[in-house]
PDB file of all heavy atoms in Angstrom:
ATOM      1  N   CYS A   1      87.175   9.032 112.415  1.00 98.00           N
ATOM      2  CA  CYS A   1      87.369   7.645 112.812  1.00 98.00           C
ATOM      3  C   CYS A   1      88.572   7.113 112.052  1.00 98.00           C
ATOM      4  O   CYS A   1      88.555   7.074 110.816  1.00 98.00           O
ATOM      5  CB  CYS A   1      86.119   6.826 112.505  1.00 98.00           C
ATOM      6  SG  CYS A   1      86.306   5.042 112.705  1.00 98.00           S
ATOM      7  N   GLU A   2      89.599   6.746 112.787  1.00 98.00           N
ATOM      8  CA  GLU A   2      90.823   6.232 112.193  1.00 98.00           C
ATOM      9  C   GLU A   2      90.846   4.716 112.293  1.00 98.00           C
ATOM     10  O   GLU A   2      90.679   4.161 113.380  1.00 98.00           O
ATOM     11  CB  GLU A   2      92.041   6.827 112.890  1.00 98.00           C
ATOM     12  CG  GLU A   2      93.364   6.415 112.283  1.00 98.00           C
ATOM     13  CD  GLU A   2      94.541   7.132 112.898  1.00 98.00           C
ATOM     14  OE1 GLU A   2      94.382   8.310 113.280  1.00 98.00           O
ATOM     15  OE2 GLU A   2      95.616   6.524 113.012  1.00 98.00           O
ATOM     16  N   ALA A   3      91.052   4.051 111.166  1.00 98.00           N
ATOM     17  CA  ALA A   3      91.049   2.596 111.105  1.00 98.00           C
ATOM     18  C   ALA A   3      92.452   2.056 110.895  1.00 98.00           C
ATOM     19  O   ALA A   3      93.275   2.667 110.218  1.00 98.00           O
ATOM     20  CB  ALA A   3      90.137   2.107 109.975  1.00 98.00           C
ATOM     21  N   SER A   4      92.699   0.882 111.447  1.00 98.00           N
ATOM     22  CA  SER A   4      93.965   0.191 111.240  1.00 98.00           C
ATOM     23  C   SER A   4      93.718  -1.305 111.230  1.00 98.00           C
ATOM     24  O   SER A   4      92.726  -1.788 111.777  1.00 98.00           O
ATOM     25  CB  SER A   4      94.988   0.565 112.319  1.00 98.00           C
ATOM     26  OG  SER A   4      94.520   0.204 113.610  1.00 98.00           O
ATOM     27  N   GLY A   5      94.617  -2.045 110.594  1.00 97.00           N
ATOM     28  CA  GLY A   5      94.511  -3.494 110.576  1.00 97.00           C
ATOM     29  C   GLY A   5      93.569  -4.069 109.542  1.00 97.00           C
ATOM     30  O   GLY A   5      93.286  -5.273 109.576  1.00 97.00           O
ATOM     31  N   LEU A   6      93.080  -3.250 108.627  1.00 96.00           N
ATOM     32  CA  LEU A   6      92.214  -3.719 107.556  1.00 96.00           C
ATOM     33  C   LEU A   6      92.516  -2.944 106.285  1.00 96.00           C
ATOM     34  O   LEU A   6      93.094  -1.855 106.338  1.00 96.00           O
ATOM     35  CB  LEU A   6      90.729  -3.604 107.928  1.00 96.00           C
ATOM     36  CG  LEU A   6      90.053  -2.224 107.878  1.00 96.00           C
ATOM     37  CD1 LEU A   6      88.546  -2.385 107.994  1.00 96.00           C
ATOM     38  CD2 LEU A   6      90.579  -1.301 108.960  1.00 96.00           C
ATOM     39  N   LEU A   7      92.129  -3.503 105.148  1.00 96.00           N
ATOM     40  CA  LEU A   7      92.299  -2.820 103.870  1.00 96.00           C
ATOM     41  C   LEU A   7      91.161  -1.818 103.751  1.00 96.00           C
ATOM     42  O   LEU A   7      90.087  -2.114 103.226  1.00 96.00           O
ATOM     43  CB  LEU A   7      92.298  -3.816 102.724  1.00 96.00           C
ATOM     44  CG  LEU A   7      92.693  -3.278 101.343  1.00 96.00           C
ATOM     45  CD1 LEU A   7      94.057  -2.606 101.394  1.00 96.00           C
ATOM     46  CD2 LEU A   7      92.703  -4.398 100.325  1.00 96.00           C
ATOM     47  N   PHE A   8      91.417  -0.609 104.237  1.00 96.00           N
ATOM     48  CA  PHE A   8      90.384   0.387 104.444  1.00 96.00           C
ATOM     49  C   PHE A   8      89.591   0.692 103.182  1.00 96.00           C
ATOM     50  O   PHE A   8      88.365   0.837 103.230  1.00 96.00           O
ATOM     51  CB  PHE A   8      91.034   1.664 105.001  1.00 96.00           C
ATOM     52  CG  PHE A   8      90.072   2.766 105.293  1.00 96.00           C
ATOM     53  CD1 PHE A   8      89.313   2.751 106.458  1.00 96.00           C
ATOM     54  CD2 PHE A   8      89.927   3.826 104.420  1.00 96.00           C
ATOM     55  CE1 PHE A   8      88.431   3.774 106.735  1.00 96.00           C
ATOM     56  CE2 PHE A   8      89.046   4.858 104.694  1.00 96.00           C
ATOM     57  CZ  PHE A   8      88.297   4.826 105.857  1.00 96.00           C
ATOM     58  N   SER A   9      90.270   0.794 102.048  1.00 96.00           N
ATOM     59  CA  SER A   9      89.617   1.223 100.814  1.00 96.00           C
ATOM     60  C   SER A   9      88.588   0.232 100.292  1.00 96.00           C
ATOM     61  O   SER A   9      87.782   0.589  99.427  1.00 96.00           O
ATOM     62  CB  SER A   9      90.654   1.503  99.727  1.00 96.00           C
ATOM     63  OG  SER A   9      91.382   0.335  99.411  1.00 96.00           O
ATOM     64  N   THR A  10      88.586  -0.999 100.776  1.00 97.00           N
ATOM     65  CA  THR A  10      87.635  -2.010 100.331  1.00 97.00           C
ATOM     66  C   THR A  10      86.403  -2.100 101.239  1.00 97.00           C
ATOM     67  O   THR A  10      85.514  -2.906 100.972  1.00 97.00           O
ATOM     68  CB  THR A  10      88.281  -3.397 100.253  1.00 97.00           C
ATOM     69  OG1 THR A  10      88.604  -3.863 101.569  1.00 97.00           O
ATOM     70  CG2 THR A  10      89.554  -3.355  99.408  1.00 97.00           C
ATOM     71  N   TYR A  11      86.344  -1.284 102.278  1.00 98.00           N
ATOM     72  CA  TYR A  11      85.238  -1.337 103.225  1.00 98.00           C
ATOM     73  C   TYR A  11      84.320  -0.129 103.100  1.00 98.00           C
ATOM     74  O   TYR A  11      84.771   1.002 102.908  1.00 98.00           O
ATOM     75  CB  TYR A  11      85.760  -1.398 104.663  1.00 98.00           C
ATOM     76  CG  TYR A  11      86.210  -2.777 105.080  1.00 98.00           C
ATOM     77  CD1 TYR A  11      87.494  -3.222 104.799  1.00 98.00           C
ATOM     78  CD2 TYR A  11      85.341  -3.625 105.748  1.00 98.00           C
ATOM     79  CE1 TYR A  11      87.905  -4.493 105.178  1.00 98.00           C
ATOM     80  CE2 TYR A  11      85.742  -4.898 106.134  1.00 98.00           C
ATOM     81  CZ  TYR A  11      87.023  -5.322 105.845  1.00 98.00           C
ATOM     82  OH  TYR A  11      87.426  -6.573 106.229  1.00 98.00           O
ATOM     83  N   ALA A  12      83.031  -0.380 103.208  1.00 98.00           N
ATOM     84  CA  ALA A  12      82.083   0.687 103.468  1.00 98.00           C
ATOM     85  C   ALA A  12      82.216   1.097 104.929  1.00 98.00           C
ATOM     86  O   ALA A  12      82.461   0.260 105.796  1.00 98.00           O
ATOM     87  CB  ALA A  12      80.659   0.217 103.181  1.00 98.00           C
ATOM     88  N   MET A  13      82.064   2.382 105.194  1.00 98.00           N
ATOM     89  CA  MET A  13      82.192   2.890 106.554  1.00 98.00           C
ATOM     90  C   MET A  13      80.894   3.566 106.971  1.00 98.00           C
ATOM     91  O   MET A  13      80.414   4.477 106.289  1.00 98.00           O
ATOM     92  CB  MET A  13      83.348   3.873 106.661  1.00 98.00           C
ATOM     93  CG  MET A  13      84.715   3.270 106.332  1.00 98.00           C
ATOM     94  SD  MET A  13      85.192   1.935 107.478  1.00 98.00           S
ATOM     95  CE  MET A  13      85.206   2.817 109.049  1.00 98.00           C
ATOM     96  N   GLY A  14      80.345   3.110 108.081  1.00 98.00           N
ATOM     97  CA  GLY A  14      79.094   3.652 108.585  1.00 98.00           C
ATOM     98  C   GLY A  14      79.276   4.410 109.880  1.00 98.00           C
ATOM     99  O   GLY A  14      80.231   4.175 110.628  1.00 98.00           O
ATOM    100  N   TRP A  15      78.362   5.332 110.115  1.00 98.00           N
ATOM    101  CA  TRP A  15      78.263   6.035 111.393  1.00 98.00           C
ATOM    102  C   TRP A  15      76.924   5.685 112.031  1.00 98.00           C
ATOM    103  O   TRP A  15      75.886   5.711 111.360  1.00 98.00           O
ATOM    104  CB  TRP A  15      78.376   7.542 111.223  1.00 98.00           C
ATOM    105  CG  TRP A  15      79.770   8.029 110.959  1.00 98.00           C
ATOM    106  CD1 TRP A  15      80.329   8.321 109.754  1.00 98.00           C
ATOM    107  CD2 TRP A  15      80.774   8.291 111.948  1.00 98.00           C
ATOM    108  NE1 TRP A  15      81.622   8.752 109.924  1.00 98.00           N
ATOM    109  CE2 TRP A  15      81.923   8.746 111.258  1.00 98.00           C
ATOM    110  CE3 TRP A  15      80.817   8.196 113.339  1.00 98.00           C
ATOM    111  CZ2 TRP A  15      83.104   9.095 111.925  1.00 98.00           C
ATOM    112  CZ3 TRP A  15      81.990   8.539 113.996  1.00 98.00           C
ATOM    113  CH2 TRP A  15      83.110   8.982 113.288  1.00 98.00           C
ATOM    114  N   PHE A  16      76.961   5.385 113.321  1.00 98.00           N
ATOM    115  CA  PHE A  16      75.791   4.988 114.081  1.00 98.00           C
ATOM    116  C   PHE A  16      75.761   5.774 115.379  1.00 98.00           C
ATOM    117  O   PHE A  16      76.757   6.350 115.793  1.00 98.00           O
ATOM    118  CB  PHE A  16      75.826   3.481 114.386  1.00 98.00           C
ATOM    119  CG  PHE A  16      75.902   2.617 113.167  1.00 98.00           C
ATOM    120  CD1 PHE A  16      77.100   2.427 112.496  1.00 98.00           C
ATOM    121  CD2 PHE A  16      74.766   1.977 112.684  1.00 98.00           C
ATOM    122  CE1 PHE A  16      77.179   1.623 111.371  1.00 98.00           C
ATOM    123  CE2 PHE A  16      74.830   1.170 111.558  1.00 98.00           C
ATOM    124  CZ  PHE A  16      76.034   0.997 110.902  1.00 98.00           C
ATOM    125  N   ARG A  17      74.611   5.784 116.039  1.00 98.00           N
ATOM    126  CA  ARG A  17      74.529   6.433 117.333  1.00 98.00           C
ATOM    127  C   ARG A  17      73.543   5.699 118.231  1.00 98.00           C
ATOM    128  O   ARG A  17      72.646   5.006 117.761  1.00 98.00           O
ATOM    129  CB  ARG A  17      74.144   7.907 117.202  1.00 98.00           C
ATOM    130  CG  ARG A  17      72.779   8.175 116.591  1.00 98.00           C
ATOM    131  CD  ARG A  17      72.602   9.671 116.350  1.00 98.00           C
ATOM    132  NE  ARG A  17      71.309   9.993 115.776  1.00 98.00           N
ATOM    133  CZ  ARG A  17      70.942  11.198 115.387  1.00 98.00           C
ATOM    134  NH1 ARG A  17      71.771  12.228 115.514  1.00 98.00           N
ATOM    135  NH2 ARG A  17      69.729  11.401 114.869  1.00 98.00           N
ATOM    136  N   GLN A  18      73.728   5.882 119.540  1.00 98.00           N
ATOM    137  CA  GLN A  18      72.902   5.186 120.512  1.00 98.00           C
ATOM    138  C   GLN A  18      72.781   6.009 121.784  1.00 98.00           C
ATOM    139  O   GLN A  18      73.763   6.570 122.263  1.00 98.00           O
ATOM    140  CB  GLN A  18      73.502   3.813 120.836  1.00 98.00           C
ATOM    141  CG  GLN A  18      72.632   2.943 121.719  1.00 98.00           C
ATOM    142  CD  GLN A  18      73.169   1.532 121.824  1.00 98.00           C
ATOM    143  OE1 GLN A  18      74.359   1.285 121.630  1.00 98.00           O
ATOM    144  NE2 GLN A  18      72.292   0.586 122.127  1.00 98.00           N
ATOM    145  N   THR A  19      71.566   6.066 122.326  1.00 96.00           N
ATOM    146  CA  THR A  19      71.308   6.703 123.610  1.00 96.00           C
ATOM    147  C   THR A  19      70.834   5.639 124.588  1.00 96.00           C
ATOM    148  O   THR A  19      70.314   4.591 124.179  1.00 96.00           O
ATOM    149  CB  THR A  19      70.258   7.814 123.486  1.00 96.00           C
ATOM    150  OG1 THR A  19      69.062   7.275 122.918  1.00 96.00           O
ATOM    151  CG2 THR A  19      70.765   8.937 122.596  1.00 96.00           C
ATOM    152  N   PRO A  20      70.991   5.870 125.906  1.00 91.00           N
ATOM    153  CA  PRO A  20      70.572   4.864 126.882  1.00 91.00           C
ATOM    154  C   PRO A  20      69.106   4.486 126.722  1.00 91.00           C
ATOM    155  O   PRO A  20      68.241   5.345 126.579  1.00 91.00           O
ATOM    156  CB  PRO A  20      70.826   5.551 128.221  1.00 91.00           C
ATOM    157  CG  PRO A  20      71.932   6.510 127.936  1.00 91.00           C
ATOM    158  CD  PRO A  20      71.653   7.013 126.546  1.00 91.00           C
ATOM    159  N   GLY A  21      68.840   3.181 126.742  1.00 92.00           N
ATOM    160  CA  GLY A  21      67.483   2.684 126.635  1.00 92.00           C
ATOM    161  C   GLY A  21      66.937   2.608 125.227  1.00 92.00           C
ATOM    162  O   GLY A  21      65.790   2.198 125.048  1.00 92.00           O
ATOM    163  N   LYS A  22      67.727   3.000 124.236  1.00 95.00           N
ATOM    164  CA  LYS A  22      67.286   2.955 122.854  1.00 95.00           C
ATOM    165  C   LYS A  22      68.214   2.077 122.030  1.00 95.00           C
ATOM    166  O   LYS A  22      69.378   1.886 122.366  1.00 95.00           O
ATOM    167  CB  LYS A  22      67.239   4.357 122.247  1.00 95.00           C
ATOM    168  CG  LYS A  22      66.236   5.292 122.893  1.00 95.00           C
ATOM    169  CD  LYS A  22      66.217   6.636 122.188  1.00 95.00           C
ATOM    170  CE  LYS A  22      65.216   7.574 122.816  1.00 95.00           C
ATOM    171  NZ  LYS A  22      65.199   8.896 122.128  1.00 95.00           N
ATOM    172  N   GLU A  23      67.685   1.553 120.941  1.00 96.00           N
ATOM    173  CA  GLU A  23      68.487   0.742 120.041  1.00 96.00           C
ATOM    174  C   GLU A  23      69.414   1.620 119.210  1.00 96.00           C
ATOM    175  O   GLU A  23      69.117   2.777 118.921  1.00 96.00           O
ATOM    176  CB  GLU A  23      67.587  -0.087 119.132  1.00 96.00           C
ATOM    177  CG  GLU A  23      66.665  -1.033 119.869  1.00 96.00           C
ATOM    178  CD  GLU A  23      66.485  -2.349 119.153  1.00 96.00           C
ATOM    179  OE1 GLU A  23      66.696  -2.391 117.926  1.00 96.00           O
ATOM    180  OE2 GLU A  23      66.147  -3.340 119.808  1.00 96.00           O
ATOM    181  N   ARG A  24      70.544   1.051 118.855  1.00 97.00           N
ATOM    182  CA  ARG A  24      71.483   1.746 117.993  1.00 97.00           C
ATOM    183  C   ARG A  24      70.866   1.936 116.608  1.00 97.00           C
ATOM    184  O   ARG A  24      70.216   1.038 116.079  1.00 97.00           O
ATOM    185  CB  ARG A  24      72.780   0.944 117.899  1.00 97.00           C
ATOM    186  CG  ARG A  24      73.931   1.667 117.232  1.00 97.00           C
ATOM    187  CD  ARG A  24      75.224   0.867 117.385  1.00 97.00           C
ATOM    188  NE  ARG A  24      75.590   0.700 118.789  1.00 97.00           N
ATOM    189  CZ  ARG A  24      76.678   0.072 119.200  1.00 97.00           C
ATOM    190  NH1 ARG A  24      77.524  -0.447 118.326  1.00 97.00           N
ATOM    191  NH2 ARG A  24      76.916  -0.034 120.498  1.00 97.00           N
ATOM    192  N   THR A  25      71.073   3.112 116.026  1.00 97.00           N
ATOM    193  CA  THR A  25      70.515   3.422 114.718  1.00 97.00           C
ATOM    194  C   THR A  25      71.604   3.913 113.776  1.00 97.00           C
ATOM    195  O   THR A  25      72.617   4.472 114.202  1.00 97.00           O
ATOM    196  CB  THR A  25      69.412   4.480 114.806  1.00 97.00           C
ATOM    197  OG1 THR A  25      69.944   5.686 115.369  1.00 97.00           O
ATOM    198  CG2 THR A  25      68.256   3.996 115.678  1.00 97.00           C
ATOM    199  N   LYS A  26      71.370   3.717 112.488  1.00 97.00           N
ATOM    200  CA  LYS A  26      72.321   4.140 111.484  1.00 97.00           C
ATOM    201  C   LYS A  26      72.122   5.608 111.144  1.00 97.00           C
ATOM    202  O   LYS A  26      71.010   6.052 110.881  1.00 97.00           O
ATOM    203  CB  LYS A  26      72.175   3.287 110.222  1.00 97.00           C
ATOM    204  CG  LYS A  26      73.206   3.618 109.138  1.00 97.00           C
ATOM    205  CD  LYS A  26      72.992   2.787 107.879  1.00 97.00           C
ATOM    206  CE  LYS A  26      73.365   1.347 108.100  1.00 97.00           C
ATOM    207  NZ  LYS A  26      73.261   0.561 106.830  1.00 97.00           N
ATOM    208  N   ILE A  27      73.212   6.353 111.160  1.00 98.00           N
ATOM    209  CA  ILE A  27      73.210   7.750 110.732  1.00 98.00           C
ATOM    210  C   ILE A  27      73.379   7.834 109.222  1.00 98.00           C
ATOM    211  O   ILE A  27      72.651   8.535 108.525  1.00 98.00           O
ATOM    212  CB  ILE A  27      74.327   8.533 111.422  1.00 98.00           C
ATOM    213  CG1 ILE A  27      74.119   8.562 112.929  1.00 98.00           C
ATOM    214  CG2 ILE A  27      74.432   9.946 110.861  1.00 98.00           C
ATOM    215  CD1 ILE A  27      75.349   9.020 113.689  1.00 98.00           C
ATOM    216  N   GLY A  28      74.354   7.113 108.720  1.00 98.00           N
ATOM    217  CA  GLY A  28      74.645   7.109 107.304  1.00 98.00           C
ATOM    218  C   GLY A  28      75.840   6.234 107.016  1.00 98.00           C
ATOM    219  O   GLY A  28      76.477   5.704 107.920  1.00 98.00           O
ATOM    220  N   VAL A  29      76.134   6.095 105.739  1.00 98.00           N
ATOM    221  CA  VAL A  29      77.214   5.217 105.318  1.00 98.00           C
ATOM    222  C   VAL A  29      77.857   5.773 104.061  1.00 98.00           C
ATOM    223  O   VAL A  29      77.205   6.456 103.263  1.00 98.00           O
ATOM    224  CB  VAL A  29      76.679   3.779 105.087  1.00 98.00           C
ATOM    225  CG1 VAL A  29      75.630   3.758 103.975  1.00 98.00           C
ATOM    226  CG2 VAL A  29      77.807   2.803 104.788  1.00 98.00           C
ATOM    227  N   ILE A  30      79.132   5.497 103.894  1.00 98.00           N
ATOM    228  CA  ILE A  30      79.840   5.831 102.657  1.00 98.00           C
ATOM    229  C   ILE A  30      80.466   4.562 102.118  1.00 98.00           C
ATOM    230  O   ILE A  30      81.154   3.834 102.830  1.00 98.00           O
ATOM    231  CB  ILE A  30      80.884   6.948 102.873  1.00 98.00           C
ATOM    232  CG1 ILE A  30      81.539   7.337 101.550  1.00 98.00           C
ATOM    233  CG2 ILE A  30      81.925   6.553 103.916  1.00 98.00           C
ATOM    234  CD1 ILE A  30      82.324   8.643 101.629  1.00 98.00           C
ATOM    235  N   GLY A  31      80.202   4.260 100.862  1.00 97.00           N
ATOM    236  CA  GLY A  31      80.716   3.061 100.235  1.00 97.00           C
ATOM    237  C   GLY A  31      82.140   3.224  99.752  1.00 97.00           C
ATOM    238  O   GLY A  31      82.697   4.330  99.752  1.00 97.00           O
ATOM    239  N   TRP A  32      82.719   2.128  99.323  1.00 90.00           N
ATOM    240  CA  TRP A  32      84.116   2.197  98.881  1.00 90.00           C
ATOM    241  C   TRP A  32      84.273   2.987  97.591  1.00 90.00           C
ATOM    242  O   TRP A  32      85.373   3.451  97.289  1.00 90.00           O
ATOM    243  CB  TRP A  32      84.714   0.801  98.751  1.00 90.00           C
ATOM    244  CG  TRP A  32      84.048  -0.116  97.761  1.00 90.00           C
ATOM    245  CD1 TRP A  32      83.008  -0.962  97.997  1.00 90.00           C
ATOM    246  CD2 TRP A  32      84.406  -0.293  96.385  1.00 90.00           C
ATOM    247  NE1 TRP A  32      82.695  -1.661  96.855  1.00 90.00           N
ATOM    248  CE2 TRP A  32      83.540  -1.271  95.857  1.00 90.00           C
ATOM    249  CE3 TRP A  32      85.376   0.278  95.558  1.00 90.00           C
ATOM    250  CZ2 TRP A  32      83.611  -1.683  94.526  1.00 90.00           C
ATOM    251  CZ3 TRP A  32      85.449  -0.134  94.236  1.00 90.00           C
ATOM    252  CH2 TRP A  32      84.576  -1.108  93.740  1.00 90.00           C
ATOM    253  N   ARG A  33      83.186   3.157  96.826  1.00 87.00           N
ATOM    254  CA  ARG A  33      83.212   3.996  95.635  1.00 87.00           C
ATOM    255  C   ARG A  33      82.915   5.461  95.950  1.00 87.00           C
ATOM    256  O   ARG A  33      82.965   6.297  95.043  1.00 87.00           O
ATOM    257  CB  ARG A  33      82.212   3.491  94.604  1.00 87.00           C
ATOM    258  CG  ARG A  33      82.550   2.134  94.008  1.00 87.00           C
ATOM    259  CD  ARG A  33      81.537   1.753  92.941  1.00 87.00           C
ATOM    260  NE  ARG A  33      81.815   0.441  92.368  1.00 87.00           N
ATOM    261  CZ  ARG A  33      82.630   0.228  91.343  1.00 87.00           C
ATOM    262  NH1 ARG A  33      83.259   1.246  90.767  1.00 87.00           N
ATOM    263  NH2 ARG A  33      82.819  -1.005  90.897  1.00 87.00           N
ATOM    264  N   GLY A  34      82.587   5.772  97.217  1.00 93.00           N
ATOM    265  CA  GLY A  34      82.299   7.133  97.613  1.00 93.00           C
ATOM    266  C   GLY A  34      80.831   7.495  97.664  1.00 93.00           C
ATOM    267  O   GLY A  34      80.497   8.625  98.034  1.00 93.00           O
ATOM    268  N   THR A  35      79.950   6.591  97.305  1.00 97.00           N
ATOM    269  CA  THR A  35      78.515   6.839  97.396  1.00 97.00           C
ATOM    270  C   THR A  35      78.099   6.953  98.858  1.00 97.00           C
ATOM    271  O   THR A  35      78.564   6.190  99.697  1.00 97.00           O
ATOM    272  CB  THR A  35      77.734   5.717  96.720  1.00 97.00           C
ATOM    273  OG1 THR A  35      78.138   5.615  95.352  1.00 97.00           O
ATOM    274  CG2 THR A  35      76.236   5.977  96.777  1.00 97.00           C
TER     275      THR A  35
END
């Protein structure tokens, strides 16, 4: 996932997924410190 237009290093980045008829769910996240 390539980001532009924001100060990328200050944002946590999450991955999510969704299938038809179901709610979007969180796969995982990485914080700005790398956690």
